[in-house]
Short mmCIF file of all heavy atoms in Angstrom, two decimals:
data_model
loop_
_atom_site.label_atom_id
_atom_site.label_comp_id
_atom_site.label_asym_id
_atom_site.label_seq_id
_atom_site.Cartn_x
_atom_site.Cartn_y
_atom_site.Cartn_z
N GLU A 37 -2.42 -3.67 -15.28
CA GLU A 37 -2.09 -2.32 -14.83
C GLU A 37 -3.35 -1.48 -14.72
O GLU A 37 -4.40 -1.89 -15.19
CB GLU A 37 -1.10 -1.69 -15.82
CG GLU A 37 0.22 -2.42 -15.80
CD GLU A 37 1.21 -1.86 -16.79
OE1 GLU A 37 1.35 -0.63 -16.86
OE2 GLU A 37 1.85 -2.65 -17.49
N SER A 38 -3.22 -0.29 -14.14
CA SER A 38 -4.39 0.57 -14.04
C SER A 38 -4.89 0.88 -15.45
O SER A 38 -4.08 1.09 -16.36
CB SER A 38 -4.07 1.88 -13.34
OG SER A 38 -2.89 1.80 -12.61
N SER A 151 -11.35 0.91 11.75
CA SER A 151 -10.16 1.02 10.91
C SER A 151 -10.47 0.44 9.52
O SER A 151 -11.47 -0.25 9.33
CB SER A 151 -9.03 0.25 11.54
OG SER A 151 -9.35 -1.11 11.54
N ASP A 181 -2.79 -2.03 4.87
CA ASP A 181 -1.40 -2.38 5.20
C ASP A 181 -1.12 -3.83 4.89
O ASP A 181 -2.03 -4.64 4.84
CB ASP A 181 -1.21 -2.21 6.71
CG ASP A 181 -0.84 -0.80 7.06
OD1 ASP A 181 -0.03 -0.24 6.33
OD2 ASP A 181 -1.37 -0.28 8.04
N THR A 183 -0.01 -6.22 6.75
CA THR A 183 -0.47 -7.18 7.76
C THR A 183 -1.98 -7.36 7.70
O THR A 183 -2.48 -8.48 7.80
CB THR A 183 -0.08 -6.70 9.17
OG1 THR A 183 -0.42 -5.34 9.30
CG2 THR A 183 1.39 -6.85 9.41
N GLN A 187 -4.57 -10.65 6.61
CA GLN A 187 -5.77 -11.10 7.33
C GLN A 187 -6.95 -11.25 6.38
O GLN A 187 -7.69 -12.24 6.42
CB GLN A 187 -6.14 -10.09 8.42
CG GLN A 187 -5.16 -10.06 9.58
CD GLN A 187 -5.42 -8.89 10.52
OE1 GLN A 187 -6.36 -8.13 10.35
NE2 GLN A 187 -4.58 -8.74 11.54
N TYR A 215 -1.22 -16.02 -4.99
CA TYR A 215 -1.50 -16.84 -3.81
C TYR A 215 -2.94 -17.32 -3.83
O TYR A 215 -3.23 -18.48 -3.56
CB TYR A 215 -1.23 -16.06 -2.51
CG TYR A 215 -1.46 -16.90 -1.28
CD1 TYR A 215 -0.49 -17.80 -0.84
CD2 TYR A 215 -2.66 -16.83 -0.58
CE1 TYR A 215 -0.71 -18.60 0.26
CE2 TYR A 215 -2.88 -17.64 0.52
CZ TYR A 215 -1.90 -18.52 0.94
OH TYR A 215 -2.12 -19.31 2.02
N ARG A 234 -2.13 -21.20 -12.12
CA ARG A 234 -1.06 -20.45 -11.46
C ARG A 234 0.31 -20.83 -12.00
O ARG A 234 1.14 -20.00 -12.32
CB ARG A 234 -1.14 -20.71 -9.97
CG ARG A 234 -0.09 -19.99 -9.17
CD ARG A 234 0.01 -20.58 -7.79
NE ARG A 234 -1.22 -20.36 -7.03
CZ ARG A 234 -1.67 -21.21 -6.11
NH1 ARG A 234 -1.02 -22.33 -5.87
NH2 ARG A 234 -2.77 -20.94 -5.45
N SER A 255 10.65 -9.51 -5.05
CA SER A 255 10.48 -10.70 -4.22
C SER A 255 11.65 -10.83 -3.26
O SER A 255 12.75 -10.34 -3.51
CB SER A 255 10.35 -11.94 -5.08
OG SER A 255 11.61 -12.39 -5.48
N ARG A 260 18.40 -7.64 -6.43
CA ARG A 260 18.72 -6.45 -5.64
C ARG A 260 19.36 -5.41 -6.54
O ARG A 260 20.15 -5.73 -7.40
CB ARG A 260 19.67 -6.81 -4.49
CG ARG A 260 18.94 -7.09 -3.18
CD ARG A 260 19.89 -7.51 -2.10
NE ARG A 260 20.74 -6.41 -1.66
CZ ARG A 260 20.37 -5.49 -0.77
NH1 ARG A 260 19.19 -5.52 -0.25
NH2 ARG A 260 21.20 -4.55 -0.41
N TYR A 261 18.95 -4.17 -6.34
CA TYR A 261 19.41 -3.12 -7.24
C TYR A 261 20.70 -2.47 -6.76
O TYR A 261 21.30 -1.70 -7.48
CB TYR A 261 18.34 -2.06 -7.42
CG TYR A 261 17.08 -2.61 -8.02
CD1 TYR A 261 16.02 -2.99 -7.22
CD2 TYR A 261 16.97 -2.78 -9.40
CE1 TYR A 261 14.88 -3.52 -7.76
CE2 TYR A 261 15.82 -3.30 -9.94
CZ TYR A 261 14.78 -3.67 -9.13
OH TYR A 261 13.65 -4.20 -9.67
N GLU B 47 3.58 -0.07 9.65
CA GLU B 47 2.19 0.06 9.23
C GLU B 47 1.79 1.53 9.23
O GLU B 47 2.48 2.36 9.80
CB GLU B 47 1.29 -0.72 10.19
CG GLU B 47 1.41 -2.21 10.02
CD GLU B 47 0.70 -2.96 11.12
OE1 GLU B 47 1.30 -3.15 12.18
OE2 GLU B 47 -0.44 -3.37 10.91
N SER B 48 0.63 1.82 8.64
CA SER B 48 0.21 3.22 8.63
C SER B 48 0.00 3.70 10.07
O SER B 48 -0.48 2.95 10.91
CB SER B 48 -1.06 3.43 7.81
OG SER B 48 -1.75 2.25 7.62
N ASP B 184 1.89 1.26 -10.68
CA ASP B 184 1.82 -0.16 -11.02
C ASP B 184 3.18 -0.83 -10.83
O ASP B 184 4.21 -0.17 -10.92
CB ASP B 184 1.43 -0.31 -12.50
CG ASP B 184 -0.05 -0.11 -12.69
OD1 ASP B 184 -0.80 -0.63 -11.88
OD2 ASP B 184 -0.43 0.57 -13.66
N LYS B 200 23.94 5.99 -7.71
CA LYS B 200 25.34 5.60 -7.93
C LYS B 200 26.12 6.70 -8.63
O LYS B 200 27.27 6.97 -8.30
CB LYS B 200 25.38 4.32 -8.76
CG LYS B 200 25.24 3.09 -7.88
CD LYS B 200 25.25 1.81 -8.70
CE LYS B 200 24.50 0.73 -7.96
NZ LYS B 200 23.77 -0.17 -8.85
N GLN B 217 13.53 -4.13 0.66
CA GLN B 217 14.81 -4.80 0.84
C GLN B 217 15.56 -4.92 -0.48
O GLN B 217 16.75 -5.19 -0.48
CB GLN B 217 14.62 -6.15 1.52
CG GLN B 217 13.79 -7.17 0.77
CD GLN B 217 14.59 -8.00 -0.20
OE1 GLN B 217 15.75 -8.26 0.02
NE2 GLN B 217 13.95 -8.39 -1.29
N SER B 218 14.85 -4.72 -1.61
CA SER B 218 15.53 -4.91 -2.88
C SER B 218 16.47 -3.74 -3.22
O SER B 218 17.25 -3.85 -4.14
CB SER B 218 14.52 -5.13 -4.00
OG SER B 218 13.77 -3.98 -4.21
N SER B 220 17.58 -1.25 -0.44
CA SER B 220 18.06 -0.52 0.73
C SER B 220 19.38 -1.09 1.24
O SER B 220 19.59 -2.29 1.22
CB SER B 220 17.04 -0.60 1.86
OG SER B 220 15.88 0.05 1.50
N PHE B 263 2.96 -21.73 -2.19
CA PHE B 263 1.53 -21.41 -2.26
C PHE B 263 0.67 -22.33 -1.41
O PHE B 263 -0.48 -22.04 -1.14
CB PHE B 263 1.06 -21.43 -3.70
CG PHE B 263 1.68 -20.34 -4.52
CD1 PHE B 263 2.64 -20.62 -5.47
CD2 PHE B 263 1.31 -19.03 -4.31
CE1 PHE B 263 3.22 -19.62 -6.20
CE2 PHE B 263 1.89 -18.02 -5.04
CZ PHE B 263 2.85 -18.31 -5.98
N LYS B 265 1.39 -23.06 1.59
CA LYS B 265 1.53 -22.63 2.98
C LYS B 265 0.31 -21.83 3.41
O LYS B 265 -0.14 -20.96 2.69
CB LYS B 265 2.79 -21.76 3.11
CG LYS B 265 3.19 -21.47 4.53
CD LYS B 265 4.42 -20.57 4.57
CE LYS B 265 4.00 -19.12 4.47
NZ LYS B 265 5.14 -18.19 4.48
N ILE B 270 -0.47 -11.83 11.82
CA ILE B 270 -0.60 -11.42 13.22
C ILE B 270 -2.00 -10.87 13.43
O ILE B 270 -2.59 -10.28 12.53
CB ILE B 270 0.44 -10.37 13.65
CG1 ILE B 270 0.60 -9.28 12.59
CG2 ILE B 270 1.74 -11.00 13.99
CD1 ILE B 270 1.45 -8.13 13.09
N GLY B 272 -5.25 -8.81 14.94
CA GLY B 272 -5.62 -7.48 15.38
C GLY B 272 -4.88 -6.37 14.65
O GLY B 272 -4.28 -6.55 13.62
N GLU B 273 -4.98 -5.20 15.25
CA GLU B 273 -4.38 -4.02 14.67
C GLU B 273 -3.57 -3.32 15.74
O GLU B 273 -3.77 -3.58 16.92
CB GLU B 273 -5.49 -3.09 14.16
CG GLU B 273 -5.98 -3.51 12.81
CD GLU B 273 -7.44 -3.21 12.60
OE1 GLU B 273 -8.03 -2.54 13.46
OE2 GLU B 273 -8.00 -3.67 11.61
#
Side-chain angles (χ1 to χ4, degrees):
Chain A
E37 294 178 45
S38 342
S151 66
D181 273 318
T183 47
Q187 290 170 3
Y215 182 80
R234 180 195 295 148
S255 82
R260 265 177 70 82
Y261 299 96
Chain B
E47 287 170 277
S48 19
D184 282 318
K200 275 179 206 146
Q217 62 87 32
S218 67
S220 295
F263 294 108
K265 191 182 86 181
I270 43 171
E273 278 148 8

